[in-house]
Amino acid sequence: MSDHSQQLTAREMVRAHAYLVLAAISSLSLLTLALLQIPGAVKDHRYNLCIDEQIKLRHSSNLTGQDGLGKLIYLKAVQHCEGL
């Protein structure tokens, strides 16, 4: 109990706890930003799976000369997955 004889001033108290408070705030903000990225990542992942599946289905038709970006198979797959 002899520690109470030496009281900290308000400025010293702020300096002693500022690092902890700022570290907690930054950790919470980083966690929040990471959690907000999840819905977009899920949507993009499902879109990519849809494109891959549509391209596989269209390849089963044995269309030749239609491979690659900008070609008919890819464009039709994008059109289907975007709901157009």
Side-chain angles (χ1 to χ4, degrees):
M1 293 279 174
S2 63
D3 292 342
H4 291 293
S5 63
Q6 183 181 6
Q7 293 290 328
L8 295 176
T9 64
R11 179 174 285 177
E12 291 170 339
M13 186 70 84
V14 168
R15 286 182 182 162
H17 294 92
Y19 177 77
L20 296 174
V21 171
L22 291 176
I25 290 172
S26 65
S27 296
L28 288 174
S29 65
L30 284 174
L31 180 64
T32 303
L33 289 172
L35 290 175
L36 289 173
Q37 295 294 319
I38 292 173
V42 169
K43 179 184 171 202
D44 292 340
H45 178 69
R46 290 181 180 164
Y47 179 79
N48 289 335
L49 289 177
C50 178
I51 294 289
D52 292 341
E53 188 62 32
Q54 288 298 313
I55 289 175
K56 285 180 192 174
L57 288 172
R58 284 164 171 51
H59 273 298
S60 66
S61 305
N62 293 328
L63 298 173
T64 58
Q66 300 291 323
D67 299 340
L69 297 176
K71 299 296 183 174
L72 185 61
I73 288 177
Y74 180 77
L75 294 175
K76 287 294 185 182
V78 170
Q79 183 180 15
H80 174 80
C81 293
E82 289 182 352
L84 299 175

